[in-house]
Amino acid sequence: MLEELDIGHKSLNALDALSSLEAAISNAKNNSRVVALKVVHGSGSGAIRRAVRAWGQEQEGRFKAVISGEDYNMFNKEAVMMRSELVDKKDKDFNRKNSGITIFWL
């Protein structure tokens, strides 16, 4: 299952957004059905996107991959491998180069 967390449309500051992300990651990792978490951080000023992606890089080794929305396509090996684990492969953001999302492959 690809779970979704929308932190981009809740008027959160970067610190609160990261707190929500950390809680969602913990919950998702405790659910064996969840393969990945799609974080909708929006485009806006880019502050939350930068914070989310920087946090993901700091967590090296904790995830199988952190995939930016711009790279979430059929040409990205990690995106294809992650999607192979999904039962329902329907996702409107796949192949759309959406800079407003980041995928955490658990």
Side-chain angles (χ1 to χ4, degrees):
M1 174 168 60
L2 178 62
E3 193 164 288
E4 185 173 305
L5 170 68
D6 186 347
I7 56 175
H9 300 100
K10 296 185 178 181
S11 300
L12 299 174
N13 62 39
L15 187 58
D16 290 339
L18 290 178
S19 292
S20 292
L21 172 59
E22 181 68 50
I25 291 286
S26 294
N27 289 336
K29 283 192 159 235
N30 288 325
N31 183 341
S32 62
R33 293 181 35 215
V34 178
V35 171
L37 179 70
K38 176 169 53 171
V39 180
V40 179
H41 42 65
S43 298
S45 70
I48 294 178
R49 177 184 64 233
R50 288 189 299 275
V52 165
R53 291 180 180 177
W55 181 85
Q57 288 178 341
E58 292 168 5
Q59 305 296 313
E60 185 177 345
R62 185 173 179 192
F63 307 107
K64 292 179 183 175
V66 178
I67 306 164
S68 69
E70 299 91 337
D71 295 326
Y72 182 48
N73 60 56
M74 64 184 165
F75 301 109
N76 182 298
K77 179 182 171 184
E78 291 173 330
V80 171
M81 289 171 49
M82 182 276 295
R83 288 177 54 78
S84 73
E85 293 183 11
L86 297 174
V87 173
D88 180 5
K89 297 186 185 349
K90 295 175 189 165
D91 184 3
K92 64 182 171 71
D93 290 307
F94 189 62
N95 286 323
R96 292 200 51 220
K97 297 184 180 186
N98 183 351
S99 65
I101 66 164
T102 301
I103 309 286
F104 288 83
W105 181 16
L106 310 175

